[in-house]
Amino acid sequence: MKPFDYQRIGAVEEIDADAGERSSFLAGGTNLVDLMKHEIETPERLLDISRLELAQIEDGDQGGLRVGTLVTNTGLASDARVRERWPLLSSALLAGATAQLRNRATTGGNLLQRTRCYYFYDTARPCNKREPGEGCGALAGHNRIHAILGASEQCIATHPSDMAVAMVALDARVRLRAADGSQRELPVEELHRLPGDHPERDTVLQPGELILGVDLPAPPPGRHIYRKVRDRSSYAFALVSVGAILHVADGKVGSVRIAFGGVAHKPWRARKAEQALQGQAATEENFLKAADVELADARGYGGNDFKIPLARRTLVAVLRDAARATEESTP
Amino acid sequence: MTNSASIGQPLDRVDGPLKVSGAATYAAEHQLDHAPLVGWIVEATIPTGRIKALDTSAAENSAGVVAVLTHRDSPAQTPFGEPDDEGRFTQSRAMLRDDRIRYHGFPVALVIADTLANARHAAGLVEVSYESEPAVTVAGEDADEKPDELDGGLDADVSRGDFERAYGDADVTLDVTYSTPNQAAAAMEPHATIAEYDGEELWVYTSVQLIGPAVQVLANTLNLDPDKIRVLSPYIGGGFGSKLGLHNEAVLACLGAMHLERPVKVVQHRRHVFHNAPHRGNSVQRIRLGASRDGKLQAIGHDSFMPRARDYAFAEPTGASARTTYRTDALLSRHRVKTVDISLIDSCRAPGHSIGSLAFESAIDEMAYRCGQDPVAFRLANMPDKDPSSGKPFSSHDLAECLREGAAKFGWDQRESAPRSHERGRQLVGYGVASTIRINILVKSTTRIRLSDDGSLIAWANMTDIGTGTYTILTQIAADILGLPAGQVQIELGDSAYPASCGSGGSFGAGSSGSALRDACMKLREKLVDIARKQESLKSADFDGARFERGKLVLGDKEVPLTELVRQSGHDYLEVEGKVEPGEEHEKYSQHSYGAQFAEVTVDRDTGEVRVQRMLGVFSAGRILNHKTARSQLLGGMVWGISYALLEELMLDERYGAFVNRDFAEYHLAVNRDIPEVEIHFREQPDSHSNPLGSKGIGELSISGAGAAVANAVYHATGVRVRNFPITLDKLLEHLP
Ligand SMILES: Cc1cc2nc3c(=O)[nH]c(=O)nc-3n(C[C@H](O)[C@H](O)[C@H](O)COP(=O)(O)OP(=O)(O)OC[C@H]3O[C@@H](n4cnc5c(N)ncnc54)[C@H](O)[C@@H]3O)c2cc1C
Ligand code: SF4
């Protein structure tokens, strides 16, 4: 670990206006501290935000929910309101990591966790995300866990979060505070970037910008399903995951939201598939068509070619289950 | 009267309370008077070549750094691999000796500092540039070197009868090639050592399975007198073969301690372990089987191709299962290796049988289907009446009974024989079986015991307990034979100052060290009886029916406390030595433990995810010394089997000769949720030829077959035979409906 200054922040106002490139916020530390030990992250100053008053879950406007950034993954997953009205989110959270990690991991930290690309973690190997311009070790290397959508020749990494996939499907918004104290809001969908020519930038956050929390709007009607496909039944990142909320009435798709995890540099909102399904009969055939529309531009890099059929099959399976469940629950 | 510590009783681990309370000190936790300095390994980042330039100045100037040890200033050492007529556990393991890079991850420097954090940070400041040389990093079917011998002294090639002819004439044939990936032993405790040197004596607190060779390897490497080296390894957090010998951090800690004459601790970081401790090489196994139309095996062919690390003579006997499990008219088993510039390749969890059975028991399953027979029936129809490879009789043979009993308990008759016959919702359900055998070995062992006049017994041996329960079963053996409560028996292990034992490995630990202890206890009994005979008051006692119970020698209606007999000897204690050596019985008989394992799996027809729902094993391993620790060993092996079949793969990046998934987040082993109901049954039959205890090896038994049972169940569920392990979902997906 590179020596660093440590500063405990008691209130957001204490964050210097110049808390920029060289500072990092410390929340649960389950990702950042690991990366600091490997000297993949080398902040000169660590601003410990873990004691800020941002650990509440409150009712929001119009049936929504306001989640403070320091709410733990366990706290969010087990909140009675979340479990009842946003089950997609609670099941996505519970599909992630382990109980111990979830007890420590925070909402903001989870959104901003970095990729699990093997080459990103190995400082002896080239990685454009770690050292821009070095090259990408994964492109012609082991890329079983890498992206099939929206990648670039510079980087084919995926974003590993489960929680974020659910939030994107739920149209959640992040509340941000810039270092100068100004605030803005963004859909979670717009928080993460595609790698393009700058894979070193995971998100659109400005240096020193703090996540204050995430707002969940009232959930759309329908059945929530989060399906995480992984090599072992726990303690593994998603090869592909699908978060979907489907409402079927009279055999037709009333409303549908779909997001994929494990397929891109960001949680992937499947808007093309949603559009293709809108108002259509909730049939296996239409589900397949929708999946194909969404995955038309998907591309594999050898080790991850299988993710294309896997994403397709998983989406169809999720929609099939959701359709059956909504049909059953509507008299 | 039964002693709760009698042999066979499920006595709780005697070291359990120490372990759960943290009082058992593992290597890195050993407390010296002063905290040792801490070393961090700097790894080479090329597979082979030379160090061109090495700049350690920034590291040396970094906070807390005491020394940066490199080949320029490290103490003198014997060249790597010498003397070449010794085995791999005692040959020199020199490092930082010259500018040569042997493999990716090979140490180029040891940064020694006051704290771990300072050492680790400074390690990143060491600048190395290399002159790369062409490296061989991959081995497959092109392996064509014939090893002098295989691990365990087995012949590289075995041929019985005319294989080509028998295979050519067979009505039904199968010719398939399986592969298994590189694997890591993956012990929970990483390799760790604290070394202390005072200019004359070297003390080494480490984590090693074989103590005797550990002393010798350090003596050879560091040019020291073995009598001046003390190796201690009282608690070991798993070894799985990767700690049979000493590994890189141990040599480096000693070099650091000798260089500075201060204690130095080196703990391998989890990422180090994958390169600075040995791993298992990938295997390609071509299996050819020939059978008559009615399903009698006539030809068994097994060709194994594996990498071998340069200058390190280890070749794994993957043909072990093919050589001894089934009867055949002709047998041909060959092993070829290819020298590679990769970190050391050595034993890993049941070398030979574990990955050998993964392939071979899958191929046998294929053959059963090809012959149109039920996989259990096919196996039963091909039981050998003598060892097919050596022609020797078996000391005992219980495989058929394990298969029959297992099939009945598992409910095998409920299974439709055709693949893809069972479904549960969107899940395809399959049932698989595999035979299990593991060679039984006896290794020379000695021990010394002392019975004191307070009635306490101490036994010493340089044996190790790698987490398997050795302390516990040795306690039971002594308590049982001498009629003492467990609390009065103290077992002292893991110290090179104690009598030489077998060490832990090859499932020979319990039988060998236990038999030596039994011998010592029997001798002590004789001594005690002799003392009693001299006693006037016992003149008329019934010496023929002498029993040892409740701390007493019982002679019919008379009894005398052992403490009194010790006192009458005129000494404060009685001491005897015991030993065991393999003899004729191991020459005359082919010895194995047996088992049959059954698995039920589901395969998700949408995603290809395989989950094991149920496993059952019936095992026959002679006399069971402790039903609880034995069960734990078998359970552990079955868990590893699930990992072998479905998860484990150390991914090699051929471009760099480096493994890429060097942590337990990405090197997948089964986790709690992957482990279903596991049922274990014993067929307890003491084997009169195995050793004086009648026990047989158990540690590596279930792992040799569990994976194949799972793989065969996946086939039965899906009709898809995946021949390159592990069976991950991507290999099934395209074949699913
Ligand atoms: C072995 C392992 C397995 C895992 N498996 C999974 C899994 O299956 N699925 C999954 O989704 N996740 C998984 N995780 C990741 C885990 O969810 C994340 O590590 C965790 O959510 C990060 O939260 P944290 O609070 O500890 O973040 P930290 O480590 O404290 O921070 C992470 C990053 O976010 C920044 N940050 C934190 N809070 C703020 C804020 N309020 N404003 C601005 N920046 C901020 C930090 O500066 C840092 O860059 C796994 C982790 C491990 C170690
Ligand atoms: S995929 Fe991205 S993170 Fe991985 S090596 Fe390439 S650039 Fe680095």
Side-chain angles (χ1 to χ4, degrees):
Chain A
M1 214 180 261
K2 229 172 151 173
F4 55 88
D5 291 328
Y6 172 87
Q7 188 186 341
R8 184 176 291 172
I9 304 292
V12 288
E13 294 72 32
E14 291 171 30
I15 298 171
D16 291 347
D18 67 348
E21 299 272 2
R22 296 176 209 296
S23 301
S24 287
F25 295 120
L26 176 68
T30 59
N31 191 220
L32 180 60
V33 175
D34 264 6
L35 291 168
M36 286 174 68
K37 287 185 186 168
H38 291 302
E39 300 197 358
I40 292 164
E41 302 255 19
T42 52
E44 287 175 8
R45 197 165 51 147
L46 212 50
L47 304 177
D48 183 349
I49 57 167
S50 62
R51 287 166 183 81
L52 290 177
E53 298 274 311
L54 292 171
Q56 293 80 25
I57 306 177
E58 294 159 355
D59 291 331
D61 302 336
Q62 294 161 0
L65 205 64
R66 284 169 75 83
V67 180
T69 189
L70 294 175
V71 172
T72 64
N73 289 179
T74 300
L76 190 55
S78 56
D79 184 271
R81 291 159 290 186
V82 175
R83 285 171 52 185
E84 199 191 316
R85 300 182 56 222
W86 293 270
L88 182 67
L89 178 57
S90 97
S91 52
L93 281 160
L94 293 176
T98 61
Q100 295 90 331
L101 283 158
R102 293 193 297 267
N103 287 343
R104 183 100 203 127
T106 64
T107 305
N110 189 315
L111 283 174
L112 299 184
Q113 63 175 297
R114 308 209 63 191
T115 185
R116 308 302 293 200
C117 169
Y118 321 114
Y119 299 88
F120 175 71
Y121 265 86
D122 190 342
T123 48
R125 304 279 87 90
C127 169
N128 286 326
K129 188 179 277 299
R130 210 176 351 89
E131 287 290 336
E134 262 192 349
C136 167
L139 202 56
H142 287 275
N143 49 37
R144 183 166 188 273
I145 58 175
H146 289 71
I148 51 170
L149 287 166
S152 74
E153 292 294 303
Q154 306 301 314
C155 179
I156 57 172
T158 55
H159 189 260
S161 169
D162 292 297
M163 178 196 81
V165 175
M167 287 184 171
V168 162
L170 290 164
D171 279 344
R173 299 173 71 81
V174 274
R175 277 176 283 114
L176 304 171
R177 177 193 183 276
D180 65 8
S182 63
Q183 297 200 7
R184 62 170 173 149
E185 253 188 49
L186 276 179
V188 175
E189 191 184 352
E190 289 168 23
L191 175 67
H192 299 92
R193 304 175 58 254
L194 289 178
D197 288 335
H198 288 284
E200 73 280 9
R201 279 192 242 141
D202 292 353
T203 67
V204 300
L205 290 191
Q206 297 302 310
E209 202 165 19
L210 180 77
I211 296 180
L212 294 169
V214 172
D215 290 349
L216 294 171
R223 176 74 176 196
H224 293 217
I225 293 184
Y226 187 75
R227 176 95 184 252
K228 178 175 180 178
V229 182
R230 45 187 152 172
D231 283 321
R232 56 183 173 189
S233 16
S234 170
Y235 199 46
F237 291 92
L239 290 166
V240 163
S241 69
V242 172
I245 307 162
L246 177 68
H247 183 65
V248 178
D250 299 333
K252 291 221 161 60
V253 175
S255 67
V256 62
R257 305 271 190 84
I258 302 167
F260 281 111
V263 299
H265 200 253
K266 58 186 291 186
W268 190 268
R269 179 75 181 259
R271 294 205 181 265
K272 289 181 193 157
E274 290 175 9
Q275 252 159 32
L277 285 167
Q278 197 59 52
Q280 303 298 308
T283 60
E284 183 105 0
E285 201 189 337
N286 285 334
F287 297 155
L288 266 171
K289 263 193 219 152
D292 285 339
V293 170
E294 190 65 47
L295 294 165
D297 296 331
R299 117 154 230 224
Y301 297 86
N304 67 348
D305 294 349
F306 74 96
K307 280 191 178 184
I308 302 172
L310 181 62
R312 181 170 180 266
R313 299 173 75 111
T314 309
L315 176 57
V316 172
V318 165
L319 294 174
R320 185 196 304 126
D321 286 352
R324 190 178 309 133
T326 54
E327 288 281 33
E328 279 164 12
S329 64
T330 35
Chain B
M1 149 189 177
T2 53
N3 181 344
S4 61
S6 292
I7 294 174
Q9 292 295 316
L11 182 70
D12 287 340
R13 278 161 198 268
V14 296
D15 50 339
L18 287 178
K19 286 188 172 169
V20 296
S21 65
T25 44
Y26 288 82
E29 299 166 332
H30 183 82
Q31 299 296 309
L32 301 174
D33 293 341
H34 300 284
L37 297 171
V38 180
W40 185 270
I41 303 171
V42 182
E43 299 184 326
T45 56
I46 59 162
T48 181
R50 297 196 174 272
I51 297 171
K52 199 160 66 185
L54 188 60
D55 183 353
T56 57
S57 50
E60 274 156 14
N61 291 326
S62 181
V65 172
V66 177
V68 179
L69 201 62
T70 70
H71 67 279
R72 296 188 295 231
D73 50 8
S74 90
Q77 297 168 74
T78 304
F80 187 98
E82 288 187 15
D84 57 15
D85 57 350
E86 288 203 20
R88 66 186 193 280
F89 297 137
T90 53
Q91 288 173 329
S92 169
R93 299 294 287 284
M95 48 203 71
L96 308 184
R97 186 177 172 276
D98 52 35
D99 61 0
R100 163 108 196 268
I101 306 300
R102 312 192 67 86
Y103 48 81
H104 185 282
F106 192 66
V108 293
L110 181 73
V111 177
I112 304 172
D114 53 350
T115 64
L116 177 66
N118 281 336
R120 185 175 185 179
H121 170 61
L125 303 174
V126 174
E127 288 195 20
V128 195
S129 63
Y130 303 96
E131 219 168 83
S132 285
E133 288 166 16
V136 181
T137 58
V138 205
E141 232 167 325
D142 59 342
D144 61 2
E145 303 162 43
K146 181 176 167 185
D148 293 340
E149 61 171 30
L150 306 174
D151 184 40
L154 302 174
D155 293 329
D157 292 2
V158 165
S159 172
R160 299 271 171 250
D162 185 342
F163 172 80
E164 296 300 342
R165 182 144 163 213
Y167 181 73
D169 289 350
D171 297 332
V172 186
T173 59
L174 179 81
D175 180 351
V176 286
T177 300
Y178 278 81
S179 66
T180 65
N182 293 292
Q183 292 165 343
M188 185 84 85
E189 177 202 28
H191 298 63
T193 301
I194 301 174
E196 196 176 12
Y197 183 68
D198 63 3
E200 201 185 343
E201 288 198 356
L202 179 67
W203 287 62
V204 184
Y205 306 90
T206 189
S207 186
V208 69
Q209 297 172 233
L210 308 176
I211 299 266
V215 172
Q216 205 54 46
V217 74
L218 291 174
N220 275 347
T221 307
L222 306 168
N223 304 316
L224 293 176
D225 178 352
D227 292 338
K228 302 282 185 222
I229 300 174
R230 181 90 173 261
V231 171
L232 296 109
S233 191
Y235 300 105
I236 299 167
F240 305 113
S242 78
K243 292 176 184 164
L244 285 168
L246 277 186
H247 290 287
N248 296 3
E249 93 296 339
V251 175
L252 292 169
C254 292
L255 290 173
M258 290 170 73
H259 179 69
L260 296 170
E261 292 202 7
R262 289 174 67 179
V264 173
K265 160 150 81 175
V266 184
V267 179
Q268 293 200 30
H269 183 267
R270 182 60 66 193
R271 291 185 74 82
H272 285 133
V273 174
F274 290 90
H275 280 290
N276 277 279
H279 66 282
R280 163 182 272 142
N282 62 302
S283 78
V284 176
Q285 300 178 51
R286 180 178 178 201
I287 297 166
R288 287 179 291 165
L289 301 174
S292 61
R293 215 173 304 283
D294 62 349
K296 280 266 187 279
L297 282 165
Q298 294 164 324
I300 295 179
H302 183 277
D303 284 292
S304 172
F305 308 91
M306 290 187 81
R308 177 176 60 186
R310 195 176 298 282
D311 302 327
Y312 195 72
F314 173 82
E316 180 163 355
T318 58
S321 304
R323 287 179 182 184
T324 32
T325 316
Y326 301 105
R327 64 155 305 283
T328 177
D329 301 333
L331 169 73
L332 180 63
S333 158
R334 297 178 291 203
H335 293 77
R336 295 295 177 267
V337 295
K338 178 176 168 189
T339 300
V340 291
D341 302 293
I342 295 275
S343 40
L344 301 189
I345 294 169
D346 206 322
S347 301
C348 176
R349 308 184 222 127
H353 278 117
S354 55
I355 57 169
S357 65
L358 205 52
F360 184 67
E361 282 293 316
S362 297
I364 285 289
D365 219 61
E366 292 199 58
M367 195 60 173
Y369 284 100
R370 199 162 277 200
C371 293
Q373 294 201 2
D374 171 82
V376 172
F378 180 77
R379 285 170 169 85
L380 284 171
N382 285 289
M383 287 294 108
D385 54 6
K386 57 182 190 305
D387 185 326
S389 74
S390 66
K392 290 181 188 175
F394 290 110
S395 62
S396 64
H397 196 273
D398 206 27
L399 179 53
E401 281 312 310
C402 288
L403 283 162
R404 282 195 197 100
E405 193 176 321
K409 292 198 150 88
F410 186 73
W412 187 256
D413 59 352
Q414 304 296 306
R415 169 190 184 271
E416 294 287 335
S417 55
R420 215 181 264 185
S421 308
H422 298 268
E423 282 186 15
R424 222 174 274 147
R426 300 290 297 174
Q427 305 291 317
L428 305 171
V429 183
Y431 303 90
V433 64
S435 298
T436 291
I437 63 168
R438 180 64 179 162
I439 190 167
N440 181 56
I441 304 170
L442 186 65
V443 175
K444 184 176 174 187
S445 251
T446 60
T447 190
R448 182 158 39 89
I449 60 172
R450 172 189 290 181
L451 181 66
S452 298
D453 59 6
D454 65 356
S456 65
L457 184 96
I458 306 187
W460 293 273
N462 78 358
M463 179 60 192
T464 51
D465 185 332
I466 54 177
T468 50
T470 312
Y471 281 111
T472 310
I473 55 118
L474 292 181
T475 300
Q476 285 174 271
I477 290 167
D480 187 333
I481 298 175
L482 294 170
L484 296 171
Q488 261 163 260
V489 178
Q490 186 182 341
I491 305 293
E492 293 285 335
L493 307 177
D495 186 336
S496 61
Y498 301 158
S501 80
C502 53
S504 297
S507 303
F508 50 63
S512 307
S513 69
S515 294
L517 178 59
R518 177 188 181 276
D519 182 52
C521 293
M522 296 307 283
K523 284 179 180 151
L524 182 62
R525 272 166 60 150
E526 281 171 33
K527 235 182 187 171
L528 290 163
V529 168
D530 284 347
I531 295 168
R533 277 185 203 282
K534 291 184 194 127
Q535 221 172 309
E536 200 59 35
S537 61
L538 297 174
K539 268 270 151 63
S540 60
D542 170 19
F543 276 92
D544 292 341
R547 300 192 317 271
F548 286 77
E549 284 174 13
R550 294 167 282 119
K552 298 187 174 101
L553 170 60
V554 181
L555 305 160
D557 54 0
K558 297 209 167 68
E559 46 183 53
V560 49
L562 302 188
T563 48
E564 197 180 313
L565 293 172
V566 175
R567 266 178 242 123
Q568 279 166 14
S569 73
H571 303 281
D572 297 341
Y573 56 80
L574 297 174
E575 229 177 71
V576 293
E577 300 212 347
K579 68 167 195 298
V580 71
E581 271 183 88
E584 266 198 348
E585 303 286 285
H586 283 260
E587 279 297 309
K588 275 210 302 246
Y589 296 101
S590 172
Q591 300 203 8
H592 299 269
S593 304
Y594 301 94
Q597 301 189 67
F598 296 79
E600 174 184 331
V601 307
T602 53
V603 180
D604 189 294
R605 62 196 293 164
D606 295 310
T607 63
E609 287 164 292
V610 179
R611 300 291 182 251
V612 180
Q613 303 299 336
R614 186 160 72 95
M615 281 186 94
L616 180 146
V618 174
F619 300 98
S620 176
R623 183 179 187 189
I624 300 304
L625 300 173
N626 175 324
H627 276 262
K628 189 180 234 172
T629 54
R631 182 176 181 279
S632 296
Q633 287 290 288
L634 293 166
L635 194 61
M638 291 167 90
V639 172
W640 284 123
I642 294 176
S643 294
Y644 277 156
L646 304 178
L647 298 167
E648 271 185 82
E649 177 172 17
L650 193 47
M651 295 186 282
L652 176 75
D653 192 321
E654 301 166 11
R655 299 171 296 177
Y656 313 106
F659 297 120
V660 299
N661 50 339
R662 292 165 71 181
D663 58 41
F664 286 166
E666 297 301 336
Y667 184 79
H668 287 166
L669 301 166
V671 295
N672 216 12
R673 216 172 158 199
D674 294 313
I675 309 306
E677 277 297 307
V678 180
E679 237 183 86
I680 289 165
H681 301 276
F682 293 107
R683 289 178 46 77
E684 190 165 358
Q685 297 175 337
D687 184 324
S688 57
H689 304 292
S690 62
N691 62 43
L693 290 164
S695 69
K696 291 206 267 191
I698 215 167
E700 299 168 313
L701 180 58
S702 61
I703 197 173
S704 308
V710 171
N712 292 336
V714 172
Y715 170 75
H716 183 240
T718 60
V720 182
R721 187 65 76 170
V722 176
R723 297 196 185 89
N724 55 332
F725 287 99
I727 306 174
T728 44
L729 60 90
D730 44 304
K731 297 171 189 169
L732 291 169
L733 208 55
E734 58 182 320
H735 307 287
L736 294 177

